[in-house]
Amino acid sequence: MRPSASPPKTRVRQAFERAAPTYDGAAGIQREICHALLATLTDIAPPAVLLDAGAGTGYALPLLAERFPTAERVAVDLSAAMLARIAMPCRRLVGDLEQLPLAAACLDLYWSSLAVQWCELPRALAEARRVLRPAGRLAVATLGPETFEELRQAFADVDNYRHTLVFHTPEEIARLATEAGFTGIAVGRRRLTAHYPDFRGLLRAVKASGANQLGNGRRRHLMGRAAFAAAEAAAERQRSAAGLPLTYDVLILEAQR
């Protein structure tokens, strides 16, 4: 199933502006995904200019600086509050990944970890190709359709609302990258599972990841106590010794312009 239109950017921006002060404390698995994405950059020539697209609070930037110490670093994010929390020296730009505030053919590496799920992916990929120089590299981590399957199961018998975004399959991502004009395309996949002590903590993690119900089909009013209790009870039936599980279906796209 193809994901529906991405959430309005004003709503996305507002959500991350509010989350900026506490985002780092809730982003443990996001950091693990950053390291997995970095591990794919084993055969790349040192870039002169690299972009962290959807940089957030900039966790990836020191990792990229250590790997590519001579590269000029550019960070783009929709949220000025997120960019303001970046400690690493870099060029900071508030902008939309579907319409980057960058000149054509100005980058050697386009890096993005857990940001393009907010975008219309064909537009984001077209922009990535536009700003990359010939032979420039694309490295993108996003979420696949099995992400948060436990949450969907918990709400399955409670209501008909969507409680997460709808994500592209690996096959769809590969096709869209081809249509955008990329070559050497590879889409890797891995499952990461986080565990939480209670249902409210699990829901906070989903919201912090940028995949909560901000898209079409979301609940537009508060959930009643009975409905919440039913979802919580369904989640508890999935509990393991480590806690309540939450799956991240991580897709890593590698390509070349």
Side-chain angles (χ1 to χ4, degrees):
M1 178 171 58
R2 185 189 184 282
S4 57
S6 57
K9 295 297 169 62
T10 52
R11 189 177 296 129
V12 175
R13 181 185 295 110
Q14 289 166 359
F16 280 104
E17 293 280 321
R18 289 192 297 269
T22 57
Y23 180 83
D24 286 337
I29 203 137
Q30 287 84 349
R31 294 177 176 181
E32 189 173 348
I33 292 168
C34 267
H35 287 275
L37 183 58
L38 187 68
T40 67
L41 300 178
T42 56
D43 61 344
I44 180 174
V49 185
L50 65 83
L51 169 67
D52 186 350
T57 57
Y59 178 77
L61 288 168
L63 305 179
L64 292 166
E66 183 177 4
R67 177 68 62 87
F68 308 115
T70 63
E72 177 186 349
R73 296 175 295 274
V74 182
V76 171
D77 199 90
L78 200 60
S79 166
M82 286 284 190
L83 290 173
R85 301 185 73 83
I86 295 176
M88 168 68 61
C90 64
R91 181 183 174 197
R92 298 171 176 83
L93 297 172
V94 176
D96 186 342
L97 303 194
E98 296 175 23
Q99 193 172 4
L100 289 166
L102 295 168
C106 67
L107 303 174
D108 303 291
L109 172 62
Y110 178 107
W111 158 289
S112 182
S113 185
L114 295 191
V116 299
Q117 70 263 23
W118 287 111
C119 302
E120 293 292 340
L121 189 55
R123 295 180 184 175
L125 289 174
E127 273 294 272
R129 189 176 187 279
R130 181 185 68 81
V131 299
L132 280 169
R133 296 180 176 127
R137 288 286 295 271
L138 178 79
V140 172
T142 188
L143 298 175
E146 295 178 11
T147 298
F148 304 152
E149 58 188 4
E150 299 89 352
L151 184 62
R152 288 191 294 275
Q153 291 171 16
F155 282 103
D157 296 327
V158 174
D159 59 34
N160 294 319
Y161 296 103
R162 283 203 299 105
H163 293 270
T164 72
L165 300 177
V166 180
F167 304 104
H168 285 285
T169 66
E171 295 76 17
E172 288 171 336
I173 289 175
R175 174 180 57 80
L176 291 171
T178 299
E179 292 174 356
F182 286 99
T183 62
I185 296 163
V187 182
R189 189 174 199 173
R190 66 184 69 193
R191 288 170 64 94
L192 299 176
T193 303
H195 293 87
Y196 299 92
D198 54 48
F199 191 52
R200 291 184 186 276
L202 184 150
L203 292 177
R204 283 193 296 270
V206 172
K207 185 175 183 180
S209 75
N212 59 310
Q213 64 270 30
L214 292 180
N216 295 331
R218 72 190 187 282
R219 176 182 288 274
R220 297 176 183 273
H221 53 274
L222 292 176
M223 177 178 292
R225 290 184 179 179
F228 185 89
E232 186 174 29
E236 283 293 334
R237 290 193 286 273
Q238 304 174 57
R239 181 180 287 278
S240 69
L244 296 185
L246 187 65
T247 295
Y248 290 74
D249 181 14
V250 182
L251 305 182
I252 294 181
L253 168 64
E254 301 173 70
Q256 182 171 301
R257 188 192 188 287

mmCIF file of all heavy atoms in Angstrom, residues 20 23 25 27 38 48 56 60 71 77 82 96 107 117 120 137 156 162 176-178 190 192 209 221 224-225 248-249:
data_model
loop_
_atom_site.group_PDB
_atom_site.id
_atom_site.type_symbol
_atom_site.label_atom_id
_atom_site.label_comp_id
_atom_site.label_asym_id
_atom_site.label_seq_id
_atom_site.Cartn_x
_atom_site.Cartn_y
_atom_site.Cartn_z
ATOM 1 N N ALA A 20 11.830 19.832 20.847
ATOM 2 C CA ALA A 20 13.277 20.102 20.825
ATOM 3 C C ALA A 20 13.947 19.992 22.196
ATOM 4 O O ALA A 20 15.020 19.386 22.312
ATOM 5 C CB ALA A 20 13.544 21.472 20.201
ATOM 6 N N TYR A 23 13.956 16.098 23.102
ATOM 7 C CA TYR A 23 14.125 15.093 22.052
ATOM 8 C C TYR A 23 15.305 14.165 22.323
ATOM 9 O O TYR A 23 15.193 12.937 22.206
ATOM 10 C CB TYR A 23 14.306 15.776 20.696
ATOM 11 C CG TYR A 23 14.486 14.803 19.551
ATOM 12 C CD1 TYR A 23 13.377 14.219 18.949
ATOM 13 C CD2 TYR A 23 15.750 14.459 19.088
ATOM 14 C CE1 TYR A 23 13.519 13.319 17.906
ATOM 15 C CE2 TYR A 23 15.902 13.559 18.049
ATOM 16 C CZ TYR A 23 14.789 12.993 17.457
ATOM 17 O OH TYR A 23 14.941 12.101 16.445
ATOM 18 N N GLY A 25 16.677 13.118 24.962
ATOM 19 C CA GLY A 25 16.468 12.142 26.021
ATOM 20 C C GLY A 25 15.614 10.970 25.610
ATOM 21 O O GLY A 25 15.603 9.935 26.280
ATOM 22 N N ALA A 27 15.702 9.675 22.344
ATOM 23 C CA ALA A 27 16.131 9.305 20.998
ATOM 24 C C ALA A 27 17.178 8.202 20.970
ATOM 25 O O ALA A 27 17.999 8.143 20.063
ATOM 26 C CB ALA A 27 16.674 10.551 20.280
ATOM 27 N N LEU A 38 25.762 5.000 9.284
ATOM 28 C CA LEU A 38 27.167 5.349 9.113
ATOM 29 C C LEU A 38 27.993 4.140 8.671
ATOM 30 O O LEU A 38 28.934 4.272 7.877
ATOM 31 C CB LEU A 38 27.722 5.912 10.421
ATOM 32 C CG LEU A 38 29.134 6.476 10.366
ATOM 33 C CD1 LEU A 38 29.185 7.744 9.520
ATOM 34 C CD2 LEU A 38 29.654 6.762 11.770
ATOM 35 N N ALA A 48 33.697 16.694 -0.157
ATOM 36 C CA ALA A 48 34.074 18.079 0.127
ATOM 37 C C ALA A 48 32.972 18.778 0.916
ATOM 38 O O ALA A 48 33.241 19.564 1.826
ATOM 39 C CB ALA A 48 34.360 18.824 -1.171
ATOM 40 N N GLY A 56 17.797 17.512 12.864
ATOM 41 C CA GLY A 56 17.333 17.517 14.243
ATOM 42 C C GLY A 56 18.297 18.267 15.139
ATOM 43 O O GLY A 56 18.749 19.368 14.811
ATOM 44 N N ALA A 60 24.104 13.191 14.437
ATOM 45 C CA ALA A 60 24.938 12.565 13.409
ATOM 46 C C ALA A 60 26.163 13.396 13.047
ATOM 47 O O ALA A 60 27.149 12.847 12.539
ATOM 48 C CB ALA A 60 24.113 12.305 12.150
ATOM 49 N N ALA A 71 35.433 17.649 5.546
ATOM 50 C CA ALA A 71 34.217 18.018 4.821
ATOM 51 C C ALA A 71 33.557 19.255 5.429
ATOM 52 O O ALA A 71 33.517 19.428 6.650
ATOM 53 C CB ALA A 71 33.222 16.865 4.831
ATOM 54 N N ASP A 77 16.988 21.500 8.592
ATOM 55 C CA ASP A 77 15.867 20.940 9.333
ATOM 56 C C ASP A 77 14.686 21.896 9.231
ATOM 57 O O ASP A 77 14.863 23.114 9.068
ATOM 58 C CB ASP A 77 16.227 20.709 10.803
ATOM 59 C CG ASP A 77 15.286 19.726 11.472
ATOM 60 O OD1 ASP A 77 15.580 18.514 11.439
ATOM 61 O OD2 ASP A 77 14.241 20.142 12.005
ATOM 62 N N MET A 82 15.190 22.903 16.726
ATOM 63 C CA MET A 82 16.089 21.750 16.665
ATOM 64 C C MET A 82 17.488 22.194 16.246
ATOM 65 O O MET A 82 18.489 21.828 16.873
ATOM 66 C CB MET A 82 15.546 20.708 15.680
ATOM 67 C CG MET A 82 14.347 19.939 16.191
ATOM 68 S SD MET A 82 14.829 18.701 17.409
ATOM 69 C CE MET A 82 13.290 17.794 17.588
ATOM 70 N N ASP A 96 12.844 22.782 4.020
ATOM 71 C CA ASP A 96 12.014 21.622 3.726
ATOM 72 C C ASP A 96 12.811 20.683 2.824
ATOM 73 O O ASP A 96 13.381 21.124 1.813
ATOM 74 C CB ASP A 96 10.740 22.111 3.027
ATOM 75 C CG ASP A 96 9.719 21.015 2.780
ATOM 76 O OD1 ASP A 96 10.074 19.824 2.825
ATOM 77 O OD2 ASP A 96 8.560 21.359 2.514
ATOM 78 N N LEU A 107 26.660 19.299 -3.465
ATOM 79 C CA LEU A 107 26.989 18.353 -2.410
ATOM 80 C C LEU A 107 27.658 17.103 -2.966
ATOM 81 O O LEU A 107 27.389 16.693 -4.100
ATOM 82 C CB LEU A 107 25.724 17.897 -1.671
ATOM 83 C CG LEU A 107 24.830 18.938 -1.016
ATOM 84 C CD1 LEU A 107 23.577 18.264 -0.488
ATOM 85 C CD2 LEU A 107 25.562 19.663 0.103
ATOM 86 N N GLN A 117 10.478 10.111 6.256
ATOM 87 C CA GLN A 117 9.122 9.599 6.474
ATOM 88 C C GLN A 117 8.105 10.725 6.601
ATOM 89 O O GLN A 117 6.910 10.511 6.463
ATOM 90 C CB GLN A 117 9.067 8.687 7.706
ATOM 91 C CG GLN A 117 9.242 9.374 9.045
ATOM 92 C CD GLN A 117 10.680 9.290 9.533
ATOM 93 O OE1 GLN A 117 11.611 9.108 8.748
ATOM 94 N NE2 GLN A 117 10.872 9.413 10.840
ATOM 95 N N GLU A 120 6.871 13.718 1.134
ATOM 96 C CA GLU A 120 6.478 13.010 -0.076
ATOM 97 C C GLU A 120 7.782 12.503 -0.680
ATOM 98 O O GLU A 120 8.588 13.280 -1.200
ATOM 99 C CB GLU A 120 5.745 13.946 -1.032
ATOM 100 C CG GLU A 120 4.386 14.427 -0.534
ATOM 101 C CD GLU A 120 3.359 13.301 -0.473
ATOM 102 O OE1 GLU A 120 3.567 12.260 -1.148
ATOM 103 O OE2 GLU A 120 2.361 13.443 0.242
ATOM 104 N N ARG A 137 26.916 10.712 -3.400
ATOM 105 C CA ARG A 137 26.317 9.565 -2.718
ATOM 106 C C ARG A 137 25.095 9.964 -1.908
ATOM 107 O O ARG A 137 25.046 11.033 -1.299
ATOM 108 C CB ARG A 137 27.343 8.907 -1.794
ATOM 109 C CG ARG A 137 28.420 8.142 -2.519
ATOM 110 C CD ARG A 137 27.914 6.826 -3.092
ATOM 111 N NE ARG A 137 27.520 5.915 -2.025
ATOM 112 C CZ ARG A 137 28.359 5.061 -1.433
ATOM 113 N NH1 ARG A 137 29.636 5.022 -1.796
ATOM 114 N NH2 ARG A 137 27.928 4.246 -0.485
ATOM 115 N N ALA A 156 -6.027 -2.191 17.340
ATOM 116 C CA ALA A 156 -6.808 -2.806 16.261
ATOM 117 C C ALA A 156 -8.282 -2.980 16.622
ATOM 118 O O ALA A 156 -9.165 -2.786 15.777
ATOM 119 C CB ALA A 156 -6.194 -4.143 15.869
ATOM 120 N N ARG A 162 -5.781 5.761 12.408
ATOM 121 C CA ARG A 162 -4.376 5.416 12.250
ATOM 122 C C ARG A 162 -3.593 6.059 13.387
ATOM 123 O O ARG A 162 -3.758 7.238 13.670
ATOM 124 C CB ARG A 162 -3.835 5.913 10.904
ATOM 125 C CG ARG A 162 -4.266 5.054 9.733
ATOM 126 C CD ARG A 162 -3.324 5.189 8.565
ATOM 127 N NE ARG A 162 -3.233 6.541 8.035
ATOM 128 C CZ ARG A 162 -2.208 7.358 8.237
ATOM 129 N NH1 ARG A 162 -1.191 6.979 8.957
ATOM 130 N NH2 ARG A 162 -2.210 8.564 7.723
ATOM 131 N N LEU A 176 11.182 4.212 -6.406
ATOM 132 C CA LEU A 176 11.156 5.675 -6.398
ATOM 133 C C LEU A 176 12.555 6.253 -6.589
ATOM 134 O O LEU A 176 12.725 7.279 -7.248
ATOM 135 C CB LEU A 176 10.536 6.188 -5.097
ATOM 136 C CG LEU A 176 9.036 5.909 -4.942
ATOM 137 C CD1 LEU A 176 8.565 6.255 -3.534
ATOM 138 C CD2 LEU A 176 8.220 6.677 -5.974
ATOM 139 N N ALA A 177 13.557 5.600 -6.020
ATOM 140 C CA ALA A 177 14.932 6.061 -6.223
ATOM 141 C C ALA A 177 15.334 5.909 -7.687
ATOM 142 O O ALA A 177 16.015 6.781 -8.252
ATOM 143 C CB ALA A 177 15.881 5.289 -5.321
ATOM 144 N N THR A 178 14.920 4.828 -8.325
ATOM 145 C CA THR A 178 15.194 4.636 -9.749
ATOM 146 C C THR A 178 14.511 5.706 -10.575
ATOM 147 O O THR A 178 15.120 6.306 -11.480
ATOM 148 C CB THR A 178 14.717 3.243 -10.199
ATOM 149 O OG1 THR A 178 15.421 2.246 -9.458
ATOM 150 C CG2 THR A 178 14.970 3.030 -11.684
ATOM 151 N N ARG A 190 16.652 -3.979 8.476
ATOM 152 C CA ARG A 190 16.911 -4.627 9.759
ATOM 153 C C ARG A 190 15.817 -4.243 10.744
ATOM 154 O O ARG A 190 15.189 -3.185 10.611
ATOM 155 C CB ARG A 190 18.281 -4.234 10.306
ATOM 156 C CG ARG A 190 18.424 -2.764 10.689
ATOM 157 C CD ARG A 190 19.846 -2.460 11.117
ATOM 158 N NE ARG A 190 20.775 -2.540 9.994
ATOM 159 C CZ ARG A 190 22.098 -2.561 10.150
ATOM 160 N NH1 ARG A 190 22.630 -2.517 11.350
ATOM 161 N NH2 ARG A 190 22.876 -2.609 9.095
ATOM 162 N N LEU A 192 14.881 -3.466 14.662
ATOM 163 C CA LEU A 192 15.352 -3.121 15.996
ATOM 164 C C LEU A 192 14.139 -3.093 16.916
ATOM 165 O O LEU A 192 13.068 -2.601 16.529
ATOM 166 C CB LEU A 192 16.039 -1.756 15.995
ATOM 167 C CG LEU A 192 17.282 -1.606 15.106
ATOM 168 C CD1 LEU A 192 17.775 -0.172 15.139
ATOM 169 C CD2 LEU A 192 18.379 -2.553 15.547
ATOM 170 N N SER A 209 9.640 9.953 17.983
ATOM 171 C CA SER A 209 10.294 9.480 16.757
ATOM 172 C C SER A 209 9.806 10.209 15.517
ATOM 173 O O SER A 209 10.394 10.071 14.448
ATOM 174 C CB SER A 209 10.043 7.989 16.569
ATOM 175 O OG SER A 209 8.715 7.760 16.134
ATOM 176 N N HIS A 221 -9.620 13.934 18.326
ATOM 177 C CA HIS A 221 -10.127 14.289 19.648
ATOM 178 C C HIS A 221 -9.485 13.349 20.663
ATOM 179 O O HIS A 221 -8.882 12.334 20.311
ATOM 180 C CB HIS A 221 -11.654 14.159 19.699
ATOM 181 C CG HIS A 221 -12.149 12.809 19.254
ATOM 182 N ND1 HIS A 221 -12.392 12.511 17.935
ATOM 183 C CD2 HIS A 221 -12.416 11.682 19.960
ATOM 184 C CE1 HIS A 221 -12.804 11.251 17.838
ATOM 185 N NE2 HIS A 221 -12.815 10.735 19.038
ATOM 186 N N GLY A 224 -11.036 8.360 24.968
ATOM 187 C CA GLY A 224 -11.701 8.134 26.236
ATOM 188 C C GLY A 224 -10.941 7.153 27.107
ATOM 189 O O GLY A 224 -10.095 6.380 26.629
ATOM 190 N N ARG A 225 -11.250 7.169 28.394
ATOM 191 C CA ARG A 225 -10.537 6.303 29.331
ATOM 192 C C ARG A 225 -10.732 4.834 29.005
ATOM 193 O O ARG A 225 -9.792 4.029 29.098
ATOM 194 C CB ARG A 225 -11.019 6.585 30.747
ATOM 195 C CG ARG A 225 -10.580 7.943 31.291
ATOM 196 C CD ARG A 225 -11.018 8.112 32.738
ATOM 197 N NE ARG A 225 -10.595 9.396 33.275
ATOM 198 C CZ ARG A 225 -10.869 9.805 34.498
ATOM 199 N NH1 ARG A 225 -11.563 9.021 35.318
ATOM 200 N NH2 ARG A 225 -10.450 10.986 34.922
ATOM 201 N N TYR A 248 11.069 -1.295 15.304
ATOM 202 C CA TYR A 248 11.460 -0.338 14.278
ATOM 203 C C TYR A 248 11.935 -1.142 13.064
ATOM 204 O O TYR A 248 12.936 -1.859 13.150
ATOM 205 C CB TYR A 248 12.582 0.575 14.768
ATOM 206 C CG TYR A 248 12.165 1.558 15.834
ATOM 207 C CD1 TYR A 248 11.927 1.132 17.141
ATOM 208 C CD2 TYR A 248 12.007 2.908 15.538
ATOM 209 C CE1 TYR A 248 11.543 2.028 18.123
ATOM 210 C CE2 TYR A 248 11.626 3.813 16.520
ATOM 211 C CZ TYR A 248 11.395 3.369 17.806
ATOM 212 O OH TYR A 248 11.006 4.261 18.778
ATOM 213 N N ASP A 249 11.199 -1.049 11.976
ATOM 214 C CA ASP A 249 11.544 -1.715 10.719
ATOM 215 C C ASP A 249 12.402 -0.729 9.927
ATOM 216 O O ASP A 249 11.883 0.153 9.244
ATOM 217 C CB ASP A 249 10.243 -2.055 9.977
ATOM 218 C CG ASP A 249 10.460 -2.764 8.657
ATOM 219 O OD1 ASP A 249 11.577 -3.251 8.401
ATOM 220 O OD2 ASP A 249 9.488 -2.841 7.880
#
